[in-house]
Amino acid sequence: MELDAYRQMAATEDEHWWFCGRRAIAEAVIRGLGLPRDADILEIGAGTGGNIQMLEQFGAVTAVEMNDLARQIAREKTGRDFLSGYLPNGVPAAAASFDLVCLFDVLEHVAEDEASLATIRRILRPGGKVVLTVPAHQWLWSKHDVGLHHMRRYSRALLKTRIERAGYRIEKLSYTNAALFPVAALARLADRLRSSNTASGQAMPPKPINSAMKALFSAESRILPSVELPFGVSLLAVFGKDAAFDSAPTDSRLAA
């Protein structure tokens, strides 16, 4: 991401409807995972630290972020150190060391997404879980994605393939941000027609609009732990190691 995007993230992530809604959904889903008490949790691509307080409800959190400015801002904001690291081969973590690994809108920034998921599998404990979110629908590609240095947006089928080929069994794969899907789709299509290089929707909306959108998005936290939504702006996945993957022949894995 551009450095200005990290500064904007730090300034808005505590109140902006999108960050708040995503955080509420992640919290509700994680709460239903049955993690061990004082779980060891890793957030990869932790940005400027907006999810740390939420994750600390569930255990001891290690945060990894590749960008120097983001780590500096996060340190000032949270009072804790963030580790330098990157996917797929630069994550500073020992094998089988975490009960939960979180990637919130990170995988779309990485060229080697399947290799990154394989790396995460190595550091996940038996019975551990991965929770990730990614932007959905390549046809929604716009200046928003270019400005944030996305490599791709995911279809449900593509994300499922990537996860399973990396050796996981999927427990949940759902779209999110369904109520605001028509608004987001129109905004992304409008971005394509505008001559400006600035994407719509990144700045903080007026308070009444922000509050309404936050309520709509956050409301999904009450249903997503138990249902999967058929459409939305983003995708949410929960998965753990597939024990059968380790004993399968290599050819079978590649064909999966």
Side-chain angles (χ1 to χ4, degrees):
M1 293 187 347
E2 300 290 345
L3 295 182
D4 283 346
Y6 286 110
R7 295 186 182 97
Q8 185 175 45
M9 178 191 297
T12 62
E13 65 184 342
D14 291 340
E15 296 296 333
H16 192 286
W17 66 270
W18 187 84
F19 289 107
C20 291
R22 186 185 67 178
R23 205 158 43 236
I25 290 167
E27 179 179 353
V29 169
I30 293 169
R31 195 173 299 282
L33 294 181
L35 293 174
R37 186 183 297 273
D38 298 323
D40 289 309
I41 300 168
L42 174 66
E43 184 182 9
I44 301 175
T48 54
N51 300 312
I52 298 302
Q53 186 175 5
M54 179 273 289
L55 291 173
E56 284 180 333
Q57 299 176 79
F58 304 103
V61 179
T62 300
V64 172
E65 169 56 47
M66 68 178 291
N67 184 269
D68 294 341
L69 175 62
R71 290 198 310 277
Q72 177 186 334
I73 293 172
R75 188 179 302 113
E76 294 168 355
K77 184 175 179 178
T78 67
R80 56 176 295 159
D81 287 331
F82 280 37
L83 300 179
S84 176
Y86 57 90
L87 289 168
N89 300 316
V91 179
S97 54
F98 290 99
D99 302 294
L100 174 65
V101 178
C102 297
L103 299 91
F104 300 123
D105 290 83
V106 171
L107 198 63
E108 68 273 14
H109 294 272
V110 184
E112 297 151 302
D113 55 352
E114 189 174 320
S116 297
L117 293 172
T119 292
I120 292 165
R121 190 178 189 277
R122 180 185 63 81
I123 63 180
L124 197 66
R125 286 176 179 155
K129 308 295 182 187
V130 181
V131 176
L132 69 77
T133 58
V134 293
H137 305 299
Q138 188 64 27
W139 60 267
L140 285 178
W141 185 270
S142 72
K143 294 181 179 69
H144 175 84
D145 300 281
V146 175
L148 294 177
H149 294 187
H150 291 172
M151 298 282 184
R152 68 195 75 79
R153 299 179 72 95
Y154 286 86
S155 66
R156 190 181 188 280
L158 177 60
L159 184 58
K160 180 176 185 291
T161 297
R162 292 287 193 266
I163 293 170
E164 291 179 341
R165 283 174 58 96
Y168 297 96
R169 184 180 299 276
I170 296 173
E171 298 182 6
K172 176 179 288 293
L173 181 53
S174 174
Y175 288 100
T176 69
N177 203 356
L180 295 169
F181 180 68
V183 176
L186 286 173
R188 296 293 173 263
L189 293 173
D191 282 342
R192 295 182 186 179
L193 301 175
R194 294 164 63 237
S195 58
S196 171
N197 289 324
T198 302
S200 60
Q202 291 180 230
M204 178 73 76
K207 279 190 175 181
I209 296 174
N210 188 64
S211 296
M213 295 175 79
K214 179 163 64 175
L216 279 171
F217 192 10
S218 298
E220 293 181 3
S221 66
R222 295 193 286 271
I223 60 173
L224 271 170
S226 55
V227 304
E228 294 184 359
L229 300 177
F231 61 90
V233 182
S234 299
L235 281 158
L236 165 78
V238 180
F239 47 95
K241 291 183 178 181
D242 183 352
F245 181 83
D246 293 319
S247 58
T250 302
D251 289 349
S252 298
R253 297 179 193 177
L254 294 177

